[in-house]
Structure formats: C-alpha cells, structure tokens
Amino acid sequence: MIILGVDPGLTRCGVGVVEAGAYRRLSFIHVDVVRSDPHASQDLRLKTIYDGLCAKMDRFIPDVVSIERVFAQENRNTVLGTAQAAGMAMLAAAQRGIPVALHTPTEAKLAITGNGMAQKVQVERMVARILGLNTLPKPADAADALAQAICHALRPAGALQGGEREEHLTEAQRQWAEATQRAVKAQHRRNVDRGM
Amino acid sequence: MIILGVDPGLTRCGVGVVEAGAYRRLSFIHVDVVRSDPHASQDLRLKTIYDGLCAKMDRFIPDVVSIERVFAQENRNTVLGTAQAAGMAMLAAAQRGIPVALHTPTEAKLAITGNGMAQKVQVERMVARILGLNTLPKPADAADALAQAICHALRPAGALQGGEREEHLTEAQRQWAEATQRAVKAQHRRNVDRGM
C-alpha cells in the first residue's frame, strides 16, 4: 500500500511517500516540499500548491492520502492558509478517488515514538530509523509529511477517525483512543495557557 | 463587467452574479447557493463546492470573482471549513485566469449602505433596491454573495486591497480606507469583548 503524507502549508507544503508492506514493514519512496511564492496573490499560491500536489499524486498513485489535521486554535496568522492548503490536498485526492485520512500531530507522534508528547527531533530520528534513512529528513515540513504517512501505516488497526464512535474497541484501540484524547486535551490546555 | 460574488461556506456557499454597466448601473444576473452534504467526508464536500463553483464560473464567465474575506478569529467550529470553501473559489478562479478580489463584510456593508455597521436586513433591503428585486434574496448566504459582488462594483475607484499601501489616495479613497479601518477595529473590539 502506497501512502502519501501531507504536512499542509501555504509557503511550504511537505509531501512524503512510503510503501507499507507485509508485517507493517515500511519503505521510503519520496519526500519533497511544494512551495509557493509568498509575494504572489493567495489564489495563485493555492493553485501552485494544488498543482504540485496533483503532480505528486499522479506520479506515485497513492492508495491513501494522509493529511495533518488542522485546528482552529493554532497560530492565527497562518492557520487559514494552512487549512486552505489542506483543502487543496483533499480536493486533489477526492478528484482521483483516493481516500483521505486526517491524523493529528499527536497521533503521529504516538504512532511513531509511542509518546504523543515527543519532541520534534525524537520524531525525526524515529522517522529516519523506521525508513532506514542515513540522515534526518529536512526541512521539518518534509519530516512531518513522512511522519503523517508512517502514522497512517502504524496506527492500531481500526483506530478511530474523527467522528467515529468508540464502540467494540479492542484493548489496543482503546489505549490509542485514550492516549490521543489525553494528548489532545493537554495540547488544548497549553493553548489556553498561552492565551490562544 | 460581470462580477461573481461568493459568500464562502462548506454547507452553503452563496453565489451572486451581477453586471456592472456605465455609471455604476448594476443589473441582477443570478443568485444561488451551492450546498454540500454535512454527513459526507470533508474531501468530498470540498469537491462538491469546488465543482459547483466551477460550473457557475463556466456558465457566467465573470471578469472578476469577489470573495468574502475570512478572519481567523471567527467562529472556531466553522472557520476552517469556511476558509477551505473560499480556497475552492480562489482555485477555480485562478485556474480560469479570473482575477480574485477579497472584501470584508464591513467593506460590503459600507459600499452598499454607507454604514460599515449596518444590520443584515438593511444590507438585504439595499441589495434588493440596487438590483431592482421585488423580494429580498434568500437565504442569507445568497444575499451576502450578491452584496460581495455589488461591493466590488461600488467600492471607490482604487480602493485598497489587502497589503496595498496607503499612498497617493484621493479624498474618497482615504475616507473609504479610514472607515474600513474603524469598522474592522470595532469588529475586533467586539470579538475581544465576546472572548473570541
């Protein structure tokens, strides 16, 4: 199964592609950053991001597109552009009939390091180790895109997607759901503390 | 000049089309609401909105697309979907080489009623009067989309777009810029008062 991960952004939109084989073995396929000119108008920037994401999807024909979930309480200066870039990825996937999964950064950290609060560098090191890379993927957007793709492959079977109900969970699924909820609540508390 | 106004939304996206003739005479051409199923997944909903907006642009071939500007401090539950719907309109316009203008609700109220703080029903009545409609346009999203289109036609010549600098303004342009700034600041104060 080919998974294309997206770390959405208007200036830099990370794209990471991995192949998930038997026994959850993961292989690195591609990583890149689609960029748009910060001095261009918003509509042209979105078209640049959209065109770049379409080209990646047409090149790697992913079975699923895994996009980092955007929250409204994030940085007000960039959150709308980030949400719109995520929208470009969703549209490009929907036009190709490719299913879309959304995972929070906390879910990605949890799936990759076992700790939803892991530091960025810990996640980057684990991404490199899981994929057998000799160096850490750069820039951060590229690493986050790979983390999104890996997260989708390594999440517990049947892990909840947004809006799904917590019925008939296995023990592993329940632990994942609980850990995610704890981490999301802690993130929310930090945002409130910081007046966001 | 054909102006297609958009009141962006994920559940209901208003579209209003007007023709601006000589002496700023405005004619009503079309009003409609593009809807998406709230129970569908986000990616399919965005594709529905995008397809609907593309169909409107291909039918009316506007010279400009005027979209209501979205602010990050708006309702957290819907702001990301609203921003993404606006992104769909921007992409559809950019793909057709149609220039995009963004106007705040305050600018629309100011251009249409002369008062950036006008009540919704005042704006709707003026929209109907300006376009010679016998009834108020419904639903609200449709009226707001027409207001966006009218706003673009009636704005002072050379009115500032976001990011433009306030140099060499005529007196009318300066008044517009000042009134807009006052209204935006007042809106911001109300948001702060309401803890948004």
Side-chain angles (χ1 to χ4, degrees):
Chain A
M1 182 169 74
I2 307 285
I3 307 168
L4 188 146
V6 177
D7 179 36
L10 189 55
T11 302
R12 291 184 308 279
C13 186
V15 177
V17 187
V18 304
E19 177 157 23
Y23 308 108
R24 298 196 171 195
R25 185 188 296 268
L26 294 174
S27 317
F28 171 81
I29 295 183
H30 178 78
V31 70
D32 199 5
V33 175
V34 179
R35 296 164 198 272
S36 80
D37 177 1
H39 302 293
S41 63
Q42 181 90 347
D43 54 314
L44 296 181
R45 297 185 72 183
L46 288 171
K47 183 172 180 298
T48 300
I49 297 294
Y50 170 81
D51 288 345
L53 292 171
C54 286
K56 297 296 184 193
M57 292 184 200
D58 289 339
R59 179 171 165 199
F60 296 105
I61 325 265
D63 298 287
V64 59
V65 171
S66 178
I67 307 171
E68 186 171 307
R69 192 184 286 277
V70 182
F71 288 105
Q73 63 263 39
E74 285 172 20
N75 187 339
R76 282 187 186 173
N77 293 328
T78 59
V79 68
L80 297 187
T82 304
Q84 288 174 334
M88 296 297 118
M90 288 188 219
L91 176 67
Q95 288 172 326
R96 286 158 181 77
I98 306 171
V100 168
L102 300 174
H103 298 292
T104 65
T106 300
E107 284 170 350
K109 289 175 182 175
L110 192 65
I112 290 169
T113 69
N115 171 12
M117 301 304 202
Q119 300 292 310
K120 229 171 178 31
V121 67
Q122 289 177 284
V123 177
E124 288 173 9
R125 279 193 198 128
M126 276 304 293
V127 164
R129 188 179 303 174
I130 289 167
L131 298 178
L133 306 175
N134 290 324
T135 56
L136 300 189
K138 294 280 174 197
D141 317 81
D144 287 347
L146 285 173
Q148 268 295 313
I150 296 170
C151 165
H152 189 76
L154 297 187
R155 79 202 186 287
L160 296 177
Q161 274 286 303
E164 287 183 79
R165 295 174 60 190
E166 299 180 39
E167 288 171 353
H168 315 301
L169 297 188
T170 66
E171 186 53 32
Q173 288 167 0
R174 191 162 19 244
Q175 281 184 18
W176 163 276
E178 285 173 6
T180 299
Q181 280 178 3
R182 276 198 305 275
V184 167
K185 278 182 191 156
Q187 175 72 49
H188 182 66
R189 276 197 301 275
R190 283 201 302 281
N191 286 343
V192 170
D193 291 347
R194 281 147 58 199
M196 289 173 72
Chain B
M1 182 169 74
I2 308 285
I3 307 168
L4 188 147
V6 177
D7 179 36
L10 188 55
T11 302
R12 293 183 308 278
C13 186
V15 177
V17 186
V18 304
E19 176 158 23
Y23 308 108
R24 297 195 171 196
R25 184 189 296 268
L26 294 174
S27 318
F28 170 81
I29 295 183
H30 179 78
V31 72
D32 198 5
V33 175
V34 179
R35 296 164 197 272
S36 79
D37 177 2
H39 301 294
S41 63
Q42 181 89 348
D43 53 316
L44 296 181
R45 297 185 73 184
L46 288 171
K47 182 173 180 299
T48 300
I49 297 295
Y50 169 81
D51 289 344
L53 292 171
C54 286
K56 295 296 184 194
M57 291 184 201
D58 289 339
R59 178 170 164 200
F60 296 104
I61 325 263
D63 297 287
V64 60
V65 172
S66 178
I67 307 171
E68 187 171 307
R69 191 184 286 277
V70 183
F71 289 104
Q73 63 263 36
E74 286 172 21
N75 187 338
R76 283 187 185 174
N77 292 328
T78 59
V79 67
L80 297 186
T82 304
Q84 288 175 334
M88 296 298 119
M90 287 187 220
L91 176 66
Q95 288 172 324
R96 286 158 180 76
I98 306 171
V100 169
L102 300 174
H103 298 292
T104 66
T106 301
E107 284 170 349
K109 288 174 182 175
L110 192 65
I112 290 169
T113 69
N115 170 13
M117 301 304 204
Q119 299 293 310
K120 229 172 180 27
V121 67
Q122 289 178 284
V123 177
E124 287 173 11
R125 279 193 199 128
M126 275 305 292
V127 165
R129 189 180 304 174
I130 289 168
L131 297 178
L133 306 176
N134 289 325
T135 56
L136 300 189
K138 294 280 175 197
D141 317 81
D144 287 347
L146 284 173
Q148 267 295 313
I150 296 171
C151 164
H152 188 75
L154 296 187
R155 78 200 187 286
L160 295 178
Q161 273 287 302
E164 287 182 79
R165 295 173 61 191
E166 299 181 39
E167 288 171 353
H168 315 302
L169 298 187
T170 66
E171 186 53 31
Q173 288 166 1
R174 190 163 18 244
Q175 280 184 19
W176 162 276
E178 285 174 6
T180 299
Q181 280 180 2
R182 274 198 306 275
V184 167
K185 277 183 193 158
Q187 176 70 48
H188 181 66
R189 274 196 303 275
R190 284 199 303 280
N191 286 342
V192 169
D193 290 346
R194 282 146 59 196
M196 288 174 71

